[in-house]
Amino acid sequence: MFKVRAATPFDSHAVQEIFRTNIENAEWLPELARVSDFAKASEGELVFVASSSDGEVVGFVSVYVADSFIHHLYVRSDFQNKGIGRVLLSSLQHWLPVPWRLKCVQKNQRALSFYLRNDWREVGVGESEDGAYVVLEWHRELTVS
């Protein structure tokens, strides 16, 4: 069982490490885009962490609240495929107005597949320094199974 809560300064090292590891292993990202300073990349956003039963941070989501924009969603590699991403997103239902939006780099097929399986819909496309991306939107209740 995983618990979601607002991140505290005590969590910053664990969140930074999850971010750094995921970004450095993101083969779909151009080399120059693999900047792994989470504090800088998430400035002005709210961050929530998922923790295991022993309190260990195993994933996080960062949100730019004014636009209901999900900016980052990462799970530690040894905890992936355990429903943590869904739990993190589901926790937002209680306070973040819908529709929610996010951008997903098209080459990141694993993430794109995750969102599409979880009722996100493509509403646009674009190009950035990270490559071509898809704009996704979600506006229904998520269920955690």
Side-chain angles (χ1 to χ4, degrees):
M1 189 67 157
F2 302 98
K3 178 182 175 185
V4 177
R5 61 176 171 73
T8 68
F10 182 75
D11 301 317
S12 61
H13 177 74
V15 169
Q16 171 59 40
E17 188 59 22
I18 293 168
F19 184 72
R20 183 193 62 74
T21 300
N22 276 276
I23 293 299
E24 287 179 359
N25 292 316
E27 296 172 0
W28 44 268
L29 265 179
E31 192 68 37
L32 292 175
R34 295 184 194 181
V35 178
S36 59
D37 181 353
F38 180 72
K40 185 175 181 179
S42 63
E43 196 170 330
E45 299 172 3
L46 291 182
V47 179
F48 293 85
V49 296
S51 57
S52 62
S53 57
D54 64 0
E56 188 175 9
V57 174
V58 296
F60 68 89
V61 62
S62 70
V63 180
Y64 183 69
V65 177
D67 293 336
S68 293
F69 185 79
I70 313 299
H71 190 200
H72 300 284
L73 175 65
Y74 290 106
V75 175
R76 222 171 72 184
S77 62
D78 55 333
F79 280 87
Q80 291 178 357
N81 300 312
K82 298 181 186 292
I84 296 169
R86 286 180 57 92
V87 169
L88 283 161
L89 290 172
S90 182
S91 74
L92 303 177
Q93 294 180 121
H94 305 291
W95 63 272
L96 188 64
V98 292
W100 303 341
R101 286 193 170 208
L102 61 82
K103 294 177 184 176
C104 185
V105 175
Q106 288 179 349
K107 288 184 178 180
N108 187 354
Q109 286 298 305
R110 186 172 183 188
L112 190 53
S113 176
F114 166 79
Y115 291 116
L116 294 175
R117 277 193 323 270
N118 287 285
D119 299 323
W120 289 76
R121 300 291 175 247
E122 185 177 326
V123 295
V125 294
E127 188 78 32
S128 73
E129 64 276 358
D130 297 343
Y133 63 83
V134 178
V135 178
L136 300 171
E137 185 175 89
W138 181 88
H139 53 80
R140 303 183 2 183
E141 283 190 23
L142 282 169
T143 55
V144 177
S145 50

